C-alpha cells in the first residue's frame, strides 16, 4: 500500500511517500504499526488530534477499514482562506 505524508508529517518522517506492507485492518491500526517502526514515526503521530487521513483520496475517520485500499495519506488539518 502506498502511504503519503504531507506538510510537517513529511518533515518529521523524512519522506513524502513509501510503500508499506501491512496487516492493518483500519487506518488507526496502520498508525499504530507505523508508530512502532521508529522514533520518527512515533513523534509524527504522537498527537492524532492534529492529523487527518484520506484513503484513496477520500477524507476518512481513523476507524475506517483498509480492505481494498491502495493509498493512505496523512496530513495536518487544512484551513480555508
Amino acid at each position: 500500500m502506498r502511504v503519503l505524508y504531507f506538510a510537517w508529517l513529511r518533515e518529521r518522517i523524512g519522506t513524502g511517500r513509501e510503500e508499506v506492507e501491512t496487516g492493518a485492518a483500519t487506518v488507526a491500526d496502520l498508525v499504530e504499526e507505523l508508530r512502532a517502526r521508529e522514533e520518527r514515526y512515533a513523534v509524527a503521530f504522537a498527537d492524532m488530534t492534529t492529523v487527518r487521513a484520506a484513503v484513496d483520496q477520500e477524507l476518512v475517520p481513523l476507524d475506517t477499514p483498509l480492505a481494498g485500499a491502495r493509498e493512505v495519506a496523512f496530513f495536518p488539518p487544512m484551513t480555508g482562506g
Side-chain angles (χ1 to χ4, degrees):
M1 165 181 310
R2 181 180 309 123
V3 181
L4 306 174
Y5 309 101
F6 293 93
W8 53 262
L9 287 158
R10 178 181 58 236
E11 292 169 13
R12 290 180 187 172
I13 291 171
T15 188
R17 70 186 307 175
E18 63 184 328
E19 295 295 323
V20 173
E21 293 291 326
T22 181
T26 66
V27 174
D29 293 339
L30 176 60
V31 169
E32 288 306 313
E33 283 184 10
L34 293 169
R35 278 182 180 154
R37 279 178 145 192
E38 295 177 33
E39 182 66 21
R40 61 188 171 131
Y41 293 94
V43 169
F45 292 114
D47 182 3
M48 289 305 293
T49 64
T50 62
V51 176
R52 299 294 176 260
V55 173
D56 293 332
Q57 300 182 4
E58 258 186 63
L59 290 173
V60 297
L62 295 178
D63 61 354
T64 299
L66 289 177
R70 294 179 312 247
E71 178 183 276
V72 177
F74 295 104
F75 47 90
M78 296 172 280
T79 59

